[in-house]
Amino acid sequence: TRTPAAPDANRVVAAQQVGQRLLAYVGGRTGSAVPPIWDTLGAQQAAAQMKSGLPAGEPPLVQAPQWRIGGETASLDAGMRYADGRHGRVRARLVWREQRWLVSDVAMERDW
């Protein structure tokens, strides 16, 4: 059985940067610009649908994401709190491809 390689420091930082871009996008802080961080069209469409379903008003407060970062895959889980008191969680999976991290799957759990 092969043990997955641990990520180097540059990959950890790169994953966190992609995560920040994803959370800013789905949280409504980047306007209509879609960041080039997607591994699949399905992931991009899921994020756009999440973004369009958010409550109107101020962008949510995003909690610091919890990360699991390996050599080839990573995942994040971050809570969001909206001005109207609603809560949600964003969960995403990233893959290392073409010398960069790409979002392969994203989902949101909401309390509304």
Side-chain angles (χ1 to χ4, degrees), residues 11-69:
R11 281 196 192 187
V12 170
V13 169
Q16 291 170 340
Q17 289 172 340
V18 168
Q20 288 172 347
R21 291 180 80 183
L22 171 66
L23 292 171
Y25 175 69
V26 300
R29 287 189 293 276
T30 58
S32 60
V34 179
I37 58 172
W38 314 106
D39 183 46
T40 66
L41 180 59
Q44 180 180 337
Q45 290 172 334
Q49 186 174 14
M50 288 167 43
K51 179 181 175 78
S52 69
L54 296 179
E58 294 181 30
L61 297 172
V62 179
Q63 296 173 344
Q66 298 297 311
W67 282 97
R68 289 187 165 208
I69 303 173

Side-chain angles (χ1 to χ4, degrees), residues 63 78-82 86-90 108-112:
Q63 296 173 344
M80 293 182 153
R81 187 176 61 212
Y82 299 89
R86 297 179 187 183
H87 290 77
R89 294 201 80 67
V90 174
M108 179 179 277
E109 296 173 6
R110 299 182 257 209
D111 68 353
W112 70 91

